Amino acid sequence: MTTKKKNSVSKKLWKLGINEFNTQYFDWNKDGDLNIKEGHNIYNVRYLVEKFGTSLQILMPFIIEERLEDLMDLANNTIKKVNYQGKFLYHYPMKVNQTREVVMALVGEGAHLETSSYTELYLVKKMLEQDKFNPDIRILCSGPKNDAYLSLIDELQHKGVKIFPLIEGPSELKMLQHSKYNVGIRLDMPVKASSYWNKQVDRFGFSAKEIYDMGSFKNLKILHYHIGSQIEKSGDILTPIKYALDVYFKLKKTNPSLDTLDIGGGMPIPYTRERGFNIDKLMEKIFTLLKTEAEKHEMPHPNLICEWGRYVVAPAQMTIFKVIDTKKVHKTKKDDKKWYVIDGSFMNDLCDTWSVDQKWSIVPVNNKNDDDLGEVWFAGSTCDSDDFYKGKDGSVRFPKYDYSEINNNPMYIAVLDTGAYQDALAMNHCLVARPQRIIVENGHIVLARKRLSPDEIGRQLGWYNK
């Protein structure tokens, strides 16, 4: 097979080097090793794996920075194009990935933040005290608010921090409706979308009627809602906005201070590489809808907040595993499938594979042989039968490999788009150690998190005196 034809097969099968799939940063070199591209900097993933070992997370902050910069530029250019009078504000929801490197990369590019717990807000407070954040940063506070969370919100408000608690339940309403500081309120959106994690009923927020019946607030600034994640149909994004705008304009009549609509998260990324998503067209549709409805109601154009965390950070990390054993899959219709056992755990390290049946793009780090592919099931290194991954079509098309025959040339695999939620939801099943994490940026490689030793894991669980 010619080099040109091999490259064509690789692009069609693995879909690397394609902007609409967020893979423009990745390619293989002439030896079939996976490379990460940062401008003129090249990082050979096989080299990184052999230097640091597996399992391994590779975080690429430059991707986060580029994606947020592109999103902000797109929003601002669209505002100019449609002559929109309101502002666009991006708030990063920290729960998506709370690691310092991720949050600091986003804040450095102009992101505001959204916290969902006392601890997240406490970390923001520490960064403010250390002059790590611009004091003009805006903080949204969502999630159930216990006494400690409310007390910290109050403390930061007294210090002049631009902090907006989003009222989501009756006890919070009682405490915050007449606050002298700015607040928001969450709408329980009756319009549902086809997406992952969408719930027909949830416990957050208030119905439109309940909000109308509350009367006036002292300082209501934001109407907020959230409808799900990975919303792939533009209509499922636009229809809730239209409903929320109707509530917004009615509410503004009794609350003139209201000036911002927060549409939450939901922007998808193409995990499975089946199709891309045209965010340019969607952004224009969103601002056109906001403008049309505002002018129809003879109201000022509202400011727009979005919290598209997964969209920005997921593509900025890959997780690498080593294949430590291979064996035939028995009791299947096709008897040529093989188990590839990895030295990590899907249940621990990539929880979404089994918790919500998330599908991933998995590519070879080395031994990329497009001429000799087979059907593969990946198995994790716990004793749990649920610790496996079969791909989106019942198996993963992958280079053939036999551990017993090629022991001197190990097979490494890369799971792409692992930057969102997987660390936040990581577990300790079978006490398999979490992956090490390295950061690659500006031609430098930094070890950010070491793999815990058995003693360190045991100490965390109370096995040794601290």
Side-chain angles (χ1 to χ4, degrees), residues 172-187:
E172 297 171 24
L173 178 67
K174 184 178 179 180
M175 296 286 293
L176 298 170
Q177 182 172 6
H178 301 293
S179 170
K180 67 178 180 179
Y181 299 107
N182 293 328
V183 301
I185 193 160
R186 178 162 174 173
L187 171 65

Side-chain angles (χ1 to χ4, degrees), residues 178 246 303 332 336:
H178 301 293
D246 185 59
N303 300 323
T332 62
D336 59 345

